[in-house]
Amino acid sequence: MTDEITPELFAKLVNLAAFAFDPKEAEYLRTELNKQLKAIRQLESVALDAEVPLASRGVTYAPESRPPLRADAWTPCENPDEILAQAPQVVDRYIIVPNIPHTELE
Amino acid sequence: MSIIDSPAYEIAHKVKHGELSAVAVLEAALERVAAVDGRPGTLDGGLLTDEDQAKVHAFITLTADRARVQAEQVDARVRAGEDVGPLAGVPVTFKDLYCLRGVRTTAASRILSNFTAPYSATTVERVEAAGAVTLGKVNLDEFAYGSSSESSAFQPTTRNPWDPARVPGGSSGGSAAAVASGQGCLSLGTDTGGSIRQPAAFCGVVGLKPTYGRVSRYGIIAFGSSLDCPGPLARDVRDAALMLSVIAGPDPCDSTAATVPVPNYLEEIDRGVKGMRIGLSPDFLRIAFPDPHTGEIIMEDLADEICDVTLRAADKLAAAGAEIIENIPMPNSAYGIPVYFVISRVEASSNLHRFDGVKYGYRSQGDFGDLNEMYRQTRAEGFGLEPKLRILMGMYVSAAQYSEHYYQRALNVRSMIRADFAAAFDPQGDYRLDALLTPTAPTPPFKMGDIYGDSLLMQYADQLTVSANHAGVPALTFPGGLSQEGLPIGLQLIGPDFAESTLFRAGYAFEQATADETWRAVKPRVLTEAGL
């Protein structure tokens, strides 16, 4: 159990999150994260009964309040060009990205 | 008094009956925007001038041309004898998290600064179909992450109409400030930990966080998907009820929008509080907050002026026929913020991974060696510090090796918070409450810059509101009085699942009981200084 986000752990998180920071930003963020962790540790003082369930949301849905599943049907998009127009780079209606890292198989 | 200061239900009634044109209402709204708002928020907004510091800056995008077309259509339909809808000709604004087809939708972030929504949110469609006129999109904390609206990438950020040196609250600060200053009659905001109620309280207006599932979330940029609740901000309780009646109900596009019948809120609103059981809890008259030096959690009573306004409201409701039940135990609400630090961050980080510069939004300009380099640079430039902080925390506490200790524990404690409310509202229980009366925020609006940058202290501004989000229950905030400095103090009524109607009844009863009090006649400073 790590009680503090160290510079090494912070660097790992930054890499996983696909971010890049200058040293000043990094130190500010790491300090704030550790302050927040201190507050989160308040939860350690809560006596948890083994029967306390996990709540993925507050309101529980009864069968009569749960919406029925939609039909599994394909609905054509009415404005695909409007959606494509949002992409930063499009050629011949293909979205273009830089080279995707890959390994050549021998 | 300008027509734009009238309640929405009065405007709609007059427009529907041909006594007032929607175009005239819109022109009054645009005149108000020109008088009090100043320049809209933009990326790289530059230095603040003295004039900037005296204005509200609620808007990111003013949709005046679209609004004129809509207003003319409303008037034409009225002339043709058609039923235009319950919001006929009412100018409304939307927090800039709501997708509005053909209009820029930014989430107040650089990463979506160039995004034009290709579809509208269900709520937006319902509001416009009800005859409302869309005045524009208003500012917020970036991706709704904050309690002061200062983290927006669109500067100048919104200021409080009661004192422009103070924050409007957040994250729906633009919505609250717009409604308070007459820039539209109604606004839609979102509430994940208090983001409708706290800014409504800070700006002296009414705000409702509906029950989770009461209102569709489809087409609203997500923050915490198990917590987010879209809801109205209005200048009185009846207007909030009117707006909820338009937006509530199931939606095939949102599988969490409950199929619970929507009552006629307006028909029930003036039934009074006789026989209603309203609770007061000592756990909502004190706060826990971290010592700025040691980080240790300190418990402290709320300021006398906040407690006094709350207890005076209880007296008013008692005089109107309610039974006040004291000493309701809500012990687990003290853990609301730590639980929120975990759950909201996990959900936020999950929701923010989609912003990568590929399909839409901002992409960094450069010659990138590979896709990963483009992701890193785009996200580094596109997100502000607050989203980055939330993503990193969400990833940490949900990582496989820490998840049981942090995330699962938070979900357990969330059950305990919910259980406190269930016990208070249980019709067969010890307390049998219809509603719990609390202050909305621990303080009146604070000064800009006083807390911004301290992510811990800022989060504790939501301490009295966040428990309702964890429990999923509805909560209504309404003005309760003014502080010694003349700033709004908001009160909150929290009810059981889908009991919005009860909250409207009690809030309306308090409005009626205090209608003649002198504080109700006091206007926000930006209006009086503009001679309005």
Side-chain angles (χ1 to χ4, degrees):
Chain A
M1 188 59 236
T2 303
D3 286 319
E4 189 188 0
I5 297 179
T6 60
E8 295 72 30
L9 179 55
F10 181 80
K12 191 175 171 189
L13 289 168
V14 168
N15 187 47
L16 287 170
F19 283 144
F21 297 119
D22 65 40
K24 194 176 158 195
E25 270 185 335
E27 193 46 37
Y28 166 75
L29 290 169
R30 197 175 70 83
T31 303
E32 291 300 307
L33 287 171
N34 281 319
K35 278 164 62 179
Q36 292 182 11
L37 271 183
K38 267 193 182 173
I40 291 169
R41 271 188 225 116
Q42 199 187 344
L43 297 180
E44 291 170 5
S45 66
V46 181
L48 284 182
D49 189 314
E51 290 178 6
V52 174
L54 300 174
S56 60
R57 60 177 170 234
V59 174
T60 49
Y61 285 66
E64 62 275 14
S65 62
R66 187 179 300 126
L69 292 175
R70 283 181 290 174
D72 187 11
W74 172 69
T75 310
C77 175
E78 63 178 30
N79 53 338
D81 288 325
E82 262 182 78
I83 293 167
L84 271 177
Q86 298 294 323
Q89 197 180 354
V90 177
V91 174
D92 295 334
R93 305 186 93 230
Y94 285 94
I95 293 173
I96 304 299
V97 296
N99 183 39
I100 298 171
H102 61 281
T103 306
E104 295 286 350
L105 296 177
E106 294 189 3
Chain B
M1 187 178 102
S2 164
I3 186 66
I4 199 62
D5 296 313
S6 303
Y9 60 88
E10 273 184 28
I11 289 175
H13 181 83
K14 287 181 179 172
V15 169
K16 277 200 280 191
H17 291 83
E19 297 164 22
L20 180 65
S21 81
V23 169
V25 179
L26 172 64
E27 291 308 327
L30 292 173
E31 206 173 287
R32 179 61 57 84
V33 174
V36 304
D37 207 51
R39 59 188 173 115
T42 55
L43 291 176
D44 309 313
L47 292 176
L48 283 179
T49 64
D50 288 347
E51 189 188 350
D52 286 335
Q53 295 184 53
K55 298 291 187 184
V56 178
H57 310 287
F59 283 86
I60 288 179
T61 304
L62 188 66
T63 52
D65 292 343
R66 180 191 178 100
R68 283 199 179 90
V69 171
Q70 288 176 320
E72 284 164 7
Q73 285 171 347
V74 167
D75 288 337
R77 290 179 62 198
V78 170
R79 285 194 295 274
E82 292 179 35
D83 180 3
V84 186
L87 295 178
V90 175
V92 300
T93 58
F94 297 102
K95 184 177 187 177
D96 207 10
L97 279 183
Y98 284 74
C99 286
L100 175 58
R101 185 170 178 178
V103 175
R104 190 169 62 141
T105 298
T106 68
S109 178
R110 181 179 294 273
I111 208 157
L112 283 176
S113 54
N114 59 357
F115 173 64
T116 301
Y119 68 105
S120 288
T122 297
T123 39
V124 169
E125 285 186 343
R126 288 177 181 175
V127 167
E128 291 195 325
V133 171
T134 299
L135 203 51
K137 311 287 289 296
V138 287
N139 216 334
L140 62 148
D141 280 297
E142 184 174 0
F143 280 102
Y145 301 162
S147 306
S148 69
S149 298
E150 292 168 286
S151 68
S152 172
F154 286 74
Q155 308 273 335
T157 60
T158 306
R159 292 170 169 260
N160 193 312
W162 289 81
D163 175 359
R166 294 176 188 267
V167 302
S171 63
S172 307
S175 291
V179 169
S181 56
Q183 303 186 74
C185 303
L186 296 165
S187 189
L188 283 186
T190 59
D191 192 313
T192 306
S195 281
I196 288 174
R197 289 162 288 156
Q198 185 252 24
F202 275 15
C203 292
V205 299
V206 172
L208 175 79
K209 181 206 96 67
T211 310
Y212 183 82
R214 175 80 291 180
V215 177
S216 166
R217 294 180 290 117
Y218 178 71
I220 302 169
I221 295 166
F223 167 4
S225 301
S226 77
L227 300 160
D228 293 344
C229 291
L233 293 97
R235 284 193 294 271
D236 66 30
V237 173
R238 187 190 290 266
D239 275 1
L242 172 66
M243 186 58 132
L244 184 67
S245 68
V246 168
I247 61 175
D251 175 15
C253 295
D254 178 0
S255 63
T256 62
T259 53
V260 175
V262 180
N264 187 329
Y265 300 116
L266 294 173
E267 209 169 81
E268 297 177 5
I269 201 167
D270 55 2
R271 288 190 185 167
V273 291
K274 195 163 183 200
M276 208 180 263
R277 291 170 64 86
I278 296 177
L280 288 170
S281 172
D283 296 311
F284 277 86
L285 294 175
R286 59 180 171 236
I287 50 165
F289 66 96
D291 182 292
H293 304 295
T294 65
E296 296 305 313
I297 301 296
I298 304 167
M299 292 295 289
E300 202 169 271
D301 290 339
L302 293 178
D304 286 347
E305 62 180 358
I306 304 275
C307 294
D308 290 348
V309 165
T310 311
L311 298 176
R312 201 180 66 88
D315 288 343
K316 290 281 178 188
L317 290 167
E323 190 178 347
I324 303 300
I325 319 294
E326 297 191 51
N327 294 318
I328 306 296
M330 303 292 291
N332 294 300
S333 287
Y335 302 115
I337 294 295
V339 169
Y340 189 74
F341 266 129
V342 177
I343 295 175
S344 73
R345 269 55 173 181
V346 170
E347 295 182 0
S349 76
S350 170
N351 280 320
L352 286 188
H353 283 313
R354 72 191 68 176
F355 301 110
D356 57 7
V358 174
K359 296 184 290 300
Y360 52 86
Y362 173 81
R363 179 189 287 187
S364 176
Q365 299 303 303
D367 190 14
F368 300 110
D370 66 27
L371 184 62
N372 286 336
E373 203 181 313
M374 188 279 282
Y375 285 157
R376 269 195 296 277
Q377 203 55 33
T378 292
R379 287 161 64 84
E381 293 170 14
F383 286 124
L385 284 176
E386 191 59 40
K388 288 169 180 165
L389 195 52
R390 298 201 180 205
I391 290 170
L392 293 168
M393 179 57 89
M395 292 178 67
Y396 175 73
V397 294
S398 61
Q401 61 270 48
Y402 309 126
S403 173
E404 188 176 342
H405 189 74
Y406 292 122
Y407 184 52
Q408 292 190 37
R409 192 170 189 85
L411 294 179
N412 283 131
V413 179
R414 182 184 198 171
S415 284
M416 296 165 68
I417 293 171
R418 166 88 182 170
D420 284 351
F421 284 103
F425 298 136
D426 181 354
Q428 273 78 50
D430 290 343
Y431 309 108
R432 304 181 304 285
L433 296 187
D434 294 292
L436 183 70
L437 174 67
T438 80
T440 307
T443 64
F446 43 86
K447 289 194 170 155
M448 297 189 82
D450 266 9
I451 297 182
Y452 185 57
D454 186 330
S455 66
L456 194 58
L457 215 48
M458 186 66 83
Q459 192 66 81
Y460 276 81
D462 294 334
Q463 188 164 163
L464 304 178
T465 50
V466 73
S467 300
N469 297 80
H470 291 313
V473 294
L476 176 76
T477 183
F478 50 95
L482 297 177
S483 71
Q484 287 165 0
E485 290 182 277
L487 299 165
I489 293 176
L491 296 174
Q492 176 177 232
L493 283 161
I494 308 173
D497 293 349
F498 301 104
E500 287 85 357
S501 195
T502 304
L503 305 184
F504 288 141
R505 276 172 56 196
Y508 183 75
F510 177 76
E511 274 183 356
Q512 299 301 302
T514 56
D516 296 330
E517 294 189 358
T518 50
W519 63 272
R520 287 236 178 243
V522 181
K523 288 182 179 178
R525 190 197 296 175
V526 291
L527 297 183
T528 54
E529 288 189 350
L532 299 166

